[in-house]
Amino acid sequence: MISTTSDYLISSEGDRQVRRMRLLLQKKVFQLPQQYFDQQISGNLTSRIINDVNILRNFLTATIPTTVTGIITILGTVIIALFLDWKLTLLMLLVFPIDAAVTIPLGKINEKIANQTQNSLGALTGITSEGIKNIKTIKLNKAENDLVNKIVAEINNLFNLSLKSDRISAVIGPLQSMLSFCLILLIVLYGAIRVKTGDLSTGTLGAFMMYFFQVIGPINEVAMFYSDKKQMMGATQKIREIISKTPEEELSSSPKTIKASYDFDWLQLQNVDFAYNSIPILENINLEAHSNEKIALVGATGAGKSTLVNIITRLYPINKGKINLNDKSYLDFSLEQWRGFFSVVLQENSILSGNIRTNLTLGLNRKVTDQELWDALAIVQLKDYVSQLPNCLDNSIGEEGAQLSGGQRQRLQIARAYLRDFKFLILDEATSNLDSDTEKVIMTALDKLTQTKHCGIITIAHRLSTIANSDRIYFLKNKTIVASGTHGELLEKVSDYRRYVHEQQLKEKR
Ligand SMILES: Nc1ncnc2c1ncn2[C@@H]1O[C@H](COP(=O)(O)OP(=O)(O)OP(=O)(O)O)[C@@H](O)[C@H]1O
Ligand SMILES: [Mg+2]
């Protein structure tokens, strides 16, 4: 009864700790800097966040209660045994160091196996979820076998690790029994000698042996605690690593309070350098963008245009230089405040699973009327399409918008970006999948509306018609901005730009 109650109390406290850990971990993960995610396989990371905590739960709700109940039983029995005969009791307690001699070295092996098992489980989840997410690519490249081979290799790896663990369990039980048996022999022998010398009665020896048999099981369980703890530590290495990481906010700013009412309308980058993992990508970047202005970033593929967006929006910290809004440094703003100034359509697909409405209102912390949503959809020429869907705004669109066309996805992303409150709208190849006519209609509408909102637009595009009418074009080459001006000025003065435009025109004609 007592042990059941203590088991419940301890395991329910364990569950509370697990809940606390899950909340802490999930919150922490989404605060980690972008660089951390660049190095992870998403499925793998997901698996670790979920499965590692399961191991912790097992430790807190099974190992700890068993150990505590075991200790209570041992203490109770030892006290009675001491009254019976203290010498025999000391002999009985010898079982602890003997057990420890077995379980302590085991701990190290268990820790390693547990860590490898969680890694392997993570890798298996990562491969499987990546395969499912990219099933079209897998099918069209006839890569099913490659995928299956990778999965089989990981399953075999897991199997081998489980066998190792099974072998340890298979050895540890009999080894503990053998040692206990030796100890029983020792106690019986010692007891018999003392009975013979009249120092101990047969009844006391019998009673003592009864207590010994009662306590030997809990002693063996308690002796496993160290090894189990090591195993848990090995399995939870990754979540401890996540928890100990510095959140991106603390890494990149020391925000002072800046009044939200202050009207920022001038973005400036001064002598900015940036490297990904110490590989220089941008050097000495100088750039300005004002509200009511439409600027463009142009350059060959891989020149660093999207990277510029990444550093402007502080997804990555710069290595040198300044980024300012009016006279305030970006370091003076909290990340949340800073990112609130920009609304970005990323080059990659950024539609989430859910429906049209949840995608449009993603992250918006204000009430949005249906009319506002329809107006935004009208700007991007999606109103007709959405209104004929069975559930209109609430129509689900599949994972990452799988049920939409490439151009529809892009337009939905533009509508989402438009609905946010921003000072600068950044469009990174946001209209690359649209036909020129639709693009023109959308861009003209956006230009007009952002002007009435007193906002600026920063456009990145290879297609010349998208950027030709910009107020200023920044031309990126060899990691830096080699020229800026209107399309006409650049064509006239910059031979590299002329060449770029010529090549682009050839591509567009093809
Ligand atoms: N997360 C990253 N980690 C490391 N290197 C990166 C990362 N993202 C981009 N790069 C590298 O930075 C360089 C610039 O990439 P970026 O995406 O900024 O080019 P881009 O000008 O936008 O090209 P595109 O016109 O093809 O979109 C490339 O060499 C790329 O390999
Ligand atoms: Mg890009």
Side-chain angles (χ1 to χ4, degrees):
M1 179 67 190
I2 290 172
S3 86
T4 320
T5 314
S6 80
D7 265 10
Y8 170 71
L9 289 177
I10 299 167
S11 52
S12 59
E13 181 52 31
D15 272 326
R16 258 186 287 278
Q17 291 304 326
V18 168
R19 178 176 172 273
R20 196 184 63 84
M21 175 60 104
R22 282 199 199 283
L23 290 171
L24 185 75
L25 197 58
Q26 297 281 355
K27 211 169 135 202
K28 187 67 186 272
V29 163
F30 295 109
Q31 291 172 340
L32 294 178
Q34 184 61 38
Q35 290 102 310
Y36 183 75
F37 294 97
D38 288 350
Q39 291 150 12
Q40 306 293 325
I41 307 282
S42 60
N44 192 328
L45 188 59
T46 314
S47 158
R48 299 306 302 258
I49 297 167
I50 309 295
N51 292 330
D52 285 16
V53 186
N54 280 340
I55 304 275
L56 179 68
R57 179 176 186 272
N58 197 36
F59 180 76
L60 293 176
T61 60
T63 308
I64 298 250
T66 311
T67 307
V68 172
T69 319
I71 289 172
I72 295 170
T73 315
I74 294 164
L75 278 178
T77 316
V78 164
I79 290 169
I80 300 171
L82 275 174
F83 278 112
L84 281 178
D85 189 278
W86 68 269
K87 287 180 194 157
L88 278 174
T89 310
L90 284 187
L91 201 58
M92 174 174 93
L93 289 177
L94 253 185
V95 80
F96 270 119
I98 293 173
D99 257 356
V102 176
T103 57
I104 287 179
L106 239 177
K108 267 209 154 13
I109 306 172
N110 273 346
E111 182 178 16
K112 204 168 149 201
I113 294 178
N115 189 15
Q116 288 172 343
T117 304
Q118 292 309 98
N119 280 339
S120 183
L121 210 57
L124 182 63
T125 318
I127 299 166
T128 313
S129 73
E130 192 177 48
I132 293 172
K133 207 164 145 194
N134 297 293
I135 190 66
K136 232 188 231 174
T137 313
I138 300 287
K139 281 182 189 293
L140 294 177
N141 286 288
K142 301 190 288 300
E144 289 92 338
N145 279 343
D146 293 4
L147 185 68
V148 170
N149 287 343
K150 273 196 208 168
I151 289 175
V152 168
E154 216 48 72
I155 289 177
N156 285 341
N157 191 22
L158 264 178
F159 174 64
N160 288 333
L161 287 165
S162 303
L163 281 186
K164 262 192 205 170
S165 180
D166 292 344
R167 274 198 290 271
I168 290 173
S169 305
V171 169
I172 190 77
L175 201 62
Q176 277 186 325
S177 304
M178 203 179 75
L179 291 171
S180 308
F181 181 71
C182 291
L183 200 64
I184 293 168
L185 274 185
L186 199 69
I187 293 173
V188 169
L189 205 68
Y190 175 65
I193 291 167
R194 286 185 46 204
V195 169
K196 205 163 181 200
T197 58
D199 190 26
L200 190 75
S201 74
T202 329
T204 311
L205 181 61
F208 188 87
M209 290 314 294
M210 213 182 69
Y211 282 119
F212 181 77
F213 286 128
Q214 183 180 319
V215 91
I216 192 71
I219 285 181
N220 283 340
E221 274 165 8
V222 171
M224 282 304 287
F225 178 76
Y226 174 80
S227 162
D228 288 346
K229 186 178 163 217
K230 280 291 215 188
Q231 192 172 14
M232 181 275 287
M233 295 294 275
T236 53
Q237 208 177 59
K238 184 81 172 180
I239 55 174
R240 280 183 287 122
E241 172 199 302
I242 293 171
I243 296 223
S244 67
K245 288 222 170 289
T246 316
E248 75 174 328
E249 177 76 80
E250 281 170 33
L251 273 180
S252 65
S253 59
S254 49
K256 300 159 191 134
T257 334
I258 291 184
K259 280 192 205 119
S261 58
Y262 196 101
D263 200 14
F264 296 100
D265 57 3
W266 176 29
L267 172 74
Q268 210 186 1
L269 273 73
Q270 289 176 349
N271 311 321
V272 169
D273 285 2
F274 174 74
Y276 280 121
N277 314 317
S278 56
I279 300 169
I281 303 292
L282 296 170
E283 283 170 358
N284 201 29
I285 298 290
N286 287 288
L287 178 150
E288 283 186 24
H290 297 262
S291 51
N292 289 337
E293 228 184 14
K294 188 182 166 195
I295 70 156
L297 308 177
V298 170
T301 176
K305 304 176 296 294
S306 300
T307 304
L308 245 172
V309 176
N310 288 343
I311 59 170
I312 288 175
T313 51
R314 287 170 66 181
L315 282 175
Y316 297 84
I318 55 174
N319 300 98
K320 215 189 99 203
K322 288 182 189 163
I323 304 181
N324 287 349
L325 263 179
N326 293 36
D327 58 339
K328 300 268 187 286
S329 160
Y330 74 115
L331 295 171
D332 294 340
F333 298 87
S334 70
L335 268 179
E336 195 188 348
Q337 249 181 330
W338 182 264
R339 291 196 183 138
F341 293 122
F342 305 94
S343 194
V344 187
V345 177
L346 291 171
Q347 184 170 16
E348 60 262 30
N349 177 27
S350 64
I351 297 296
L352 304 184
S353 59
N355 57 41
I356 306 270
R357 185 193 299 278
T358 55
N359 267 285
L360 285 176
T361 57
L362 181 75
L364 276 184
N365 51 8
R366 63 183 173 90
K367 272 238 166 308
V368 191
T369 61
D370 279 9
Q371 190 54 49
E372 263 185 281
L373 300 183
W374 285 115
D375 289 347
L377 289 172
I379 294 168
V380 297
Q381 309 280 297
L382 264 186
K383 191 175 173 184
D384 290 347
Y385 170 75
V386 176
S387 59
Q388 53 83 43
L389 290 172
N391 295 313
C392 298
L393 288 169
D394 298 308
N395 213 83
S396 71
I397 49 177
E399 190 179 16
E400 295 185 352
Q403 292 162 27
L404 299 177
S405 78
Q408 285 168 337
R409 279 198 289 265
Q410 283 196 323
R411 284 181 280 159
L412 194 58
Q413 281 163 230
I414 298 174
R416 175 206 285 163
Y418 176 74
L419 278 164
R420 296 172 66 95
D421 299 314
F422 56 85
K423 284 288 164 199
F424 295 93
L425 178 65
I426 304 181
L427 305 170
D428 188 354
E429 292 290 3
T431 48
S432 57
N433 288 336
L434 308 185
D435 60 77
S436 300
D437 290 343
T438 312
E439 178 189 39
K440 203 165 176 197
V441 176
I442 294 174
M443 287 307 284
T444 311
L446 276 181
D447 279 357
K448 231 187 261 164
L449 288 160
T450 45
Q451 293 241 338
T452 40
K453 277 187 168 184
H454 194 57
C455 294
I457 301 188
I458 302 173
T459 316
I460 296 171
H462 288 289
R463 194 192 276 163
L464 295 169
S465 60
T466 321
I467 48 101
N469 69 343
S470 303
D471 296 311
R472 198 166 46 263
I473 294 172
Y474 288 93
F475 182 48
L476 263 160
K477 196 173 180 221
N478 300 333
K479 306 189 184 76
T480 196
I481 290 169
V482 288
S484 67
T486 61
H487 181 57
E489 285 166 355
L490 289 178
L491 272 182
E492 196 184 311
K493 291 182 199 152
V494 184
S495 58
D496 276 345
Y497 186 74
R498 267 198 303 277
R499 206 169 305 123
Y500 171 82
V501 167
H502 181 65
E503 279 165 17
Q504 203 51 43
Q505 279 167 337
L506 288 180
K507 271 186 216 155
E508 285 175 29
K509 268 187 202 149
R510 262 181 231 148

Coordinates of all heavy atoms in Angstrom, one line a residue, residues 300-307 309 347-348 428-429 460 462, ligand 2:
A300 N 23.8 37.8 -60.5 CA 23.7 36.4 -60.9 C 23.3 35.5 -59.8 O 23.3 35.9 -58.7 CB 25.1 36.0 -61.4
T301 N 22.9 34.3 -60.2 CA 22.4 33.3 -59.2 C 23.6 33.0 -58.3 O 24.8 32.9 -58.7 CB 21.9 32.1 -59.9 OG1 21.6 31.1 -58.9 CG2 22.9 31.5 -60.9
G302 N 23.3 33.0 -57.0 CA 24.4 32.7 -56.0 C 25.2 34.0 -55.6 O 26.1 33.9 -54.8
A303 N 24.7 35.2 -56.1 CA 25.5 36.4 -55.9 C 25.3 36.8 -54.4 O 26.2 37.6 -53.9 CB 25.0 37.5 -56.8
G304 N 24.2 36.4 -53.8 CA 24.0 36.8 -52.4 C 22.8 37.7 -52.1 O 22.7 38.3 -51.1
K305 N 21.9 37.7 -53.0 CA 20.7 38.5 -52.9 C 19.8 38.0 -51.7 O 19.4 38.8 -50.9 CB 19.9 38.5 -54.2 CG 20.7 39.0 -55.4 CD 20.0 38.9 -56.7 CE 19.5 37.5 -57.1 NZ 20.6 36.6 -57.5
S306 N 19.5 36.7 -51.7 CA 18.7 36.2 -50.6 C 19.4 36.4 -49.3 O 18.8 36.6 -48.3 CB 18.3 34.8 -50.9 OG 17.6 34.6 -52.1
T307 N 20.7 36.2 -49.4 CA 21.5 36.4 -48.1 C 21.3 37.8 -47.6 O 21.2 38.0 -46.4 CB 23.0 36.1 -48.4 OG1 23.1 34.8 -49.0 CG2 23.8 36.2 -47.2
V309 N 18.7 39.6 -47.9 CA 17.4 39.6 -47.2 C 17.6 39.0 -45.8 O 17.0 39.5 -44.8 CB 16.3 38.9 -48.0 CG1 15.0 38.8 -47.2 CG2 16.1 39.5 -49.3
Q347 N 12.1 33.4 -51.2 CA 12.2 32.7 -52.5 C 11.7 31.3 -52.4 O 11.1 30.8 -53.4 CB 13.7 32.7 -52.8 CG 14.1 32.2 -54.2 CD 15.5 32.4 -54.5 OE1 16.3 32.7 -53.7 NE2 15.8 32.2 -55.8
E348 N 11.9 30.6 -51.3 CA 11.4 29.3 -51.2 C 9.9 29.3 -50.8 O 9.4 30.2 -50.3 CB 12.2 28.4 -50.2 CG 12.2 28.9 -48.8 CD 13.5 29.7 -48.5 OE1 14.0 30.3 -49.4 OE2 13.8 29.7 -47.3
D428 N 11.4 38.4 -52.7 CA 12.5 37.6 -53.2 C 12.0 36.6 -54.3 O 11.5 35.6 -53.9 CB 13.2 36.9 -52.1 CG 14.6 36.3 -52.5 OD1 14.9 36.4 -53.7 OD2 15.3 35.8 -51.7
E429 N 12.1 37.0 -55.5 CA 11.7 36.1 -56.6 C 10.2 35.7 -56.4 O 9.8 34.6 -56.6 CB 12.6 34.9 -56.8 CG 14.0 35.2 -57.3 CD 14.1 35.6 -58.7 OE1 13.0 35.8 -59.4 OE2 15.2 35.9 -59.2
I460 N 13.6 41.5 -55.5 CA 14.7 40.7 -56.0 C 14.1 39.9 -57.2 O 13.1 39.2 -57.0 CB 15.3 39.7 -55.0 CG1 16.0 40.5 -53.9 CG2 16.4 38.8 -55.7 CD1 16.4 39.6 -52.7
H462 N 15.2 38.0 -61.3 CA 16.0 37.8 -62.4 C 15.3 38.4 -63.7 O 16.0 39.0 -64.5 CB 16.4 36.4 -62.7 CG 17.3 35.8 -61.7 ND1 18.7 36.2 -61.7 CD2 17.2 35.0 -60.7 CE1 19.3 35.6 -60.7 NE2 18.4 34.8 -60.0
Ligands
MG2 MG 18.0 33.9 -53.9

